[in-house]
Amino acid sequence: MQGKLSRAAKQSLDRRFGALYDKLYREDVLWTAWKRVRVNRGAPGVDKQTIEHIEEVIGVEAFLADLGEELRGKTYRPQSVRRCWIDKPGKAEKRPLGIPVVKDRVVQMAAKLMLEPIFETNFLDCSCGFRPGRSAHMAIKKIRSAITFGRKTVVIDADIKGYFDAIRHDILMRLVQKRVSDPRMLKLIRGWLTAGVMDEGQHVRSSAGTPQGGVISPLLANLYLHCFDVMFVESGIPGTLVRYADDFVILVHLDGEKVLAKARGMLGRLGLELHPEKTRIVSADDGFDFLGIHLRRTPTKSPKARMKYVTRLWPSDRSLRAVREKIKQTFGRRYGSSLEEIVGKLNPVIRGWNNYHTAIRPVRERLLKLNYYVSERIRIFLKRKYSDETRGYRRVHGEMITRLGVCQFG
């Protein structure tokens, strides 16, 4: 089904699709949506119904059959999302996260299965976030190439102020209607946008924004900022835009202030504004952080090298602080646990962080230093667990680390 929709969308970039709603309650579509939602797991919404409860008590077949009947009979109504606040890595502030109920997540996933191949054909190459076949690493490589080979060393590091809460529903729905004509599907999307938020027992109506945490939110957020991508390309600015969801940088040769002013104007047409304190113009020679990676242009060390400058990458200070804190929390005060149990919980933390950062071939010194930090945390854990007066140094050695199977950074 997705392949057919994608091919049809590519044949005509301004075609409007009808009769999409009828595909929502197809048995194969709902089962595919359920499987994807189940893999992502997630916390319960306002109804406190978990995926485990559906599987063990209600039964998946009965749950999907009832949901299909609701969609077919047009009695399905989106519920409010449960708002919770999560820590931002390396920051004191918190990020609002909206958690829909499982039923809404399944329907949103089903809608995404149909809408994504349609809108994907219009999205531009500069957009790398939350799209099939694209990743943060692709965004980093684009930036690295623009600096090293394009010699664009003036970097506009931008931050959109409260993006997910600032999306205007009227503009977003007009953008959706450019490709979707099915009134039932449009009503469904509008229902998710206006369902409201349950925050500490208080229901808050939604007049703008899309919940950060909804299954379909990243697609709608990309659709909204696609307008910015198009405006930038059509403006003729001699620069490179690289965007990952609502984070973006613009790389130019000069006139950073003029380009930034133009970008502000483009975003202003969408009802968005840049954060005055977090948006800045920097030189690639001084370095900047993007998606947890620090990028900096430096002179090549070899006098025989073809290029005088290259762009080097390494984990940002914030990313390093965040992984150290995760490692520290993994050990915690679990002195009743064995070291093998701790290592079992520690390895996924190390592996996930290390895989992300080594994929872009960074400078390895900072990664290797983290191995010493891990061994120090093991030493402190053993010292406190066994009340060791020797500070635990005799308990920690290379062979022990290898025997335990502790993953290594770098």
Side-chain angles (χ1 to χ4, degrees), residues 94-335:
K94 293 182 179 291
R95 176 191 295 125
L97 189 68
I99 304 175
V101 298
V102 177
K103 181 188 292 185
D104 288 345
R105 297 209 291 265
V106 173
V107 181
Q108 286 186 23
M109 182 63 77
K112 183 185 175 185
L113 290 172
M114 288 176 288
L115 296 174
E116 190 170 63
I118 295 172
F119 292 122
E120 267 293 317
T121 58
N122 294 91
F123 290 162
L124 302 184
D125 193 50
C126 60
S127 172
C128 300
F130 302 105
R131 294 179 58 192
R134 293 174 177 267
S135 65
H137 298 133
M138 182 179 289
I140 295 297
K141 288 176 182 177
K142 286 179 179 291
I143 296 171
R144 186 183 215 171
S145 177
I147 296 173
T148 303
F149 303 108
R151 298 180 182 179
K152 297 171 182 175
T153 58
V154 178
V155 182
I156 300 171
D157 183 10
D159 185 282
I160 300 176
K161 187 176 180 181
Y163 173 60
F164 282 88
D165 292 329
I167 294 175
R168 282 178 48 179
H169 291 172
D170 57 333
I171 295 177
L172 177 58
M173 289 308 301
R174 285 202 298 271
L175 295 173
V176 174
Q177 288 174 49
K178 285 186 176 182
R179 292 294 254 164
V180 178
S181 60
D182 190 332
R184 296 166 298 175
M185 182 64 80
L186 295 172
K187 181 180 179 181
L188 194 63
I189 295 172
R190 195 176 290 109
W192 288 324
L193 293 174
T194 58
V197 175
M198 190 67 72
D199 192 358
E200 296 182 353
Q202 297 293 321
H203 181 266
V204 181
R205 295 187 64 183
S206 303
S207 57
T210 177
Q212 193 171 0
V215 173
I216 205 167
S217 292
L219 176 61
L220 297 178
N222 266 332
L223 177 62
Y224 199 80
L225 279 179
H226 170 66
C227 287
F228 172 67
D229 300 342
V230 172
M231 283 188 278
F232 182 87
V233 171
E234 294 181 348
S235 70
I237 295 173
T240 299
L241 167 67
V242 180
R243 182 174 64 81
Y244 188 90
D246 59 323
D247 294 323
F248 70 89
V249 295
I250 300 173
L251 304 108
V252 292
H253 295 289
L254 41 82
D255 295 332
E257 290 290 349
K258 291 182 180 179
V259 174
L260 177 58
K262 289 181 180 180
R264 277 201 176 96
M266 296 173 194
L267 291 169
R269 292 172 62 182
L270 296 171
L272 304 172
E273 59 179 307
L274 293 174
H275 199 295
E277 297 176 1
K278 297 179 182 178
T279 300
R280 60 194 186 119
I281 300 174
V282 297
S283 169
D285 296 335
D286 296 328
F288 62 99
D289 297 342
F290 189 68
L291 302 178
I293 306 292
H294 183 82
L295 301 94
R296 183 176 298 185
R297 191 178 80 146
T298 60
T300 52
K301 296 179 180 179
S302 173
K304 297 181 181 180
R306 288 185 179 182
M307 307 192 69
K308 294 182 179 180
Y309 294 91
V310 295
T311 305
R312 300 190 187 279
L313 315 174
W314 56 80
S316 66
D317 290 340
R318 183 184 298 168
S319 183
L320 287 167
R321 285 195 300 269
V323 74
R324 286 196 191 99
E325 183 61 28
K326 281 186 178 180
I327 292 169
K328 185 178 179 181
Q329 289 177 359
T330 302
F331 283 93
R333 296 180 177 274
R334 300 185 178 93
Y335 304 123

Side-chain angles (χ1 to χ4, degrees), residues 7 23 73 83 85 115 174 211 238 268 315 333 350 375:
R7 286 191 293 273
K23 298 177 177 66
R83 173 166 286 175
W85 298 84
L115 296 174
R174 285 202 298 271
R333 296 180 177 274
I350 297 175
S375 65

